[in-house]
Amino acid sequence: MLSRLLDDGVLTCPVCRGPTDDGLRNAPLELDSVYAETVAGEVLQGQLRCSACGTRYPVIDGVACVFSDTRAWLRREERAVMGRSDLHPALAGFLSEAWGESEDPSWRRQLLSVYGRRLPGMMPTGPAESVMARLQEEGDGALDAARGRLVSADDLVLDAGCGVGVGSLALVEKGARVVAFDQDFTALRLLGRLLRDGVVEVPTWGAGGADFGVQQAVLEDRAAVGRVALVAGDVLDPPFAGGVFDGVVAMNLLDNVAEPVMAVRQLHGMVRKGGRLLVASPFDWAERATARGARLGDGLRLSDGATDPVPVLHALLEGRLLDVAPEVACEVTQAADVPWVLVRHDRSAHVFVTHVVEAVRAGGIPSTNGAPSDRFAATSP
């Protein structure tokens, strides 16, 4: 799948990428070196290179790591990237106890546990999942229907902020080819192992949050192996050409980025004219992720001054906020509030109400005139 992205010019250098008067300047990435391959012939370890500036980007454990400053990202992700990946989860868990609960890698283990509970083959482990089952089924049903409306056979879909890939695998089941895209290397590595081996050990946070156990996620449908590409990158500065995706999905991402408006602009720019967007957010803002001045409904409000972020998101997508997003133009086709349940451990669960918006990108060639930033993803003509 990564090779096909390169052949089709989907992956582009974020250093060179930027707007021009008539679209988007792209510098496609090409395969520079291969050091190890999977049994299926996919790149496991290697390097990509920009065809224009020569900047190199690593492929690590099947994950293409493409940031405008990849070295800075690698320094932040040092433990995840350089950490041993061959340790048994029980031993890795024991070693992780050297760090506090809020420190890396203990924090990463909690993240994998919370989101990994929804991977294929995982079984409920405690009363929290039993009590929340009805709400989970309601939310899952609504999202499954939305994905069905998004995808046609063999569509290329970007799953932005994919985490461990629960949504990416669901999109593959609908017939899509998926680019699983996230900043977190730990989550992408786990998804990569599941795709390659068909099974992966997932930490489960149990016993009231005191201890971790281990479960196996099992991927029985091996067709997904060649239909998912793993890319680590920044949604605010993405390494993709404009207008190359048939669909773009961003589930619960907007309230986890520093610039939600820029995220919407980039998502819009990466989908083709007539393509579909599926954007959801519970708007559970946190200062660590988004400053108040950048939040929808807080820093950015409509003329009536209301603080609800939902109408602001709709106005953004529909092209009614020309002063901050002049190139965005979509038709919102459906919208709904949907329960989203995250089980933390056996006796703890959080219930969010996430707002799900389905939209179709309007036709026409977007203009860069008046754009307040040069990082947005305009679609090439």
Side-chain angles (χ1 to χ4, degrees), residues 133-287:
R134 182 184 61 80
L135 281 177
Q136 284 188 335
E137 290 175 4
E138 180 183 343
D140 290 348
L143 294 179
D144 185 68
R147 293 186 184 103
R149 289 187 288 269
L150 177 88
V151 173
S152 297
D154 209 40
D155 276 355
L156 181 63
V157 178
L158 177 69
D159 186 8
C162 66
V164 297
V166 175
S168 298
L169 296 175
L171 288 165
V172 170
E173 289 182 357
K174 300 295 183 184
R177 294 175 293 121
V178 179
V179 177
F181 182 55
D182 205 289
Q183 287 200 67
D184 189 273
F185 185 81
T186 304
L188 289 171
R189 172 184 271 165
L190 184 143
L191 176 57
R193 289 180 190 161
L194 180 60
L195 290 167
R196 288 191 300 273
D197 302 334
V199 61
V200 68
E201 302 282 357
V202 180
T204 54
W205 194 13
D211 298 311
F212 281 88
V214 176
Q215 270 203 57
Q216 282 191 337
V218 180
L219 185 63
E220 296 182 354
D221 183 5
R222 304 300 291 145
V225 175
R227 301 184 68 84
V228 180
L230 309 176
V231 179
D234 184 356
V235 72
L236 301 181
D237 194 9
F240 303 109
V244 293
F245 293 100
D246 300 298
V248 170
V249 177
M251 303 303 297
N252 308 308
L253 175 68
L254 293 184
D255 56 357
N256 279 288
V257 297
E259 300 173 74
V261 172
M262 178 59 68
V264 170
R265 299 178 74 197
Q266 297 286 17
L267 295 170
H268 170 271
M270 289 183 287
V271 72
R272 64 171 173 80
K273 291 174 287 184
R276 294 182 175 273
L277 295 96
L278 176 58
V279 180
S281 180
F283 301 112
D284 186 43
W285 304 109
E287 191 69 31

Side-chain angles (χ1 to χ4, degrees), residues 263-319:
V264 170
R265 299 178 74 197
Q266 297 286 17
L267 295 170
H268 170 271
M270 289 183 287
V271 72
R272 64 171 173 80
K273 291 174 287 184
R276 294 182 175 273
L277 295 96
L278 176 58
V279 180
S281 180
F283 301 112
D284 186 43
W285 304 109
E287 191 69 31
R288 58 170 177 74
T290 315
R292 290 195 63 171
R295 298 174 189 174
L296 308 185
D298 196 337
L300 179 62
R301 304 185 186 186
L302 301 183
S303 57
D304 61 5
T307 58
D308 185 357
V310 168
V312 178
L313 175 60
H314 284 235
L316 268 175
L317 289 170
E318 292 170 353

Side-chain angles (χ1 to χ4, degrees), residues 282-353:
F283 301 112
D284 186 43
W285 304 109
E287 191 69 31
R288 58 170 177 74
T290 315
R292 290 195 63 171
R295 298 174 189 174
L296 308 185
D298 196 337
L300 179 62
R301 304 185 186 186
L302 301 183
S303 57
D304 61 5
T307 58
D308 185 357
V310 168
V312 178
L313 175 60
H314 284 235
L316 268 175
L317 289 170
E318 292 170 353
R320 292 186 279 121
L321 298 182
L322 298 177
D323 55 333
V324 295
E327 78 288 352
V328 175
C330 294
E331 176 190 354
V332 172
T333 57
Q334 295 203 44
D337 289 325
V338 173
W340 178 45
V341 178
L342 285 182
V343 177
R344 296 178 65 244
H345 57 71
D346 287 355
R347 293 190 173 275
S348 176
H350 288 181
V351 179
F352 302 91
V353 178

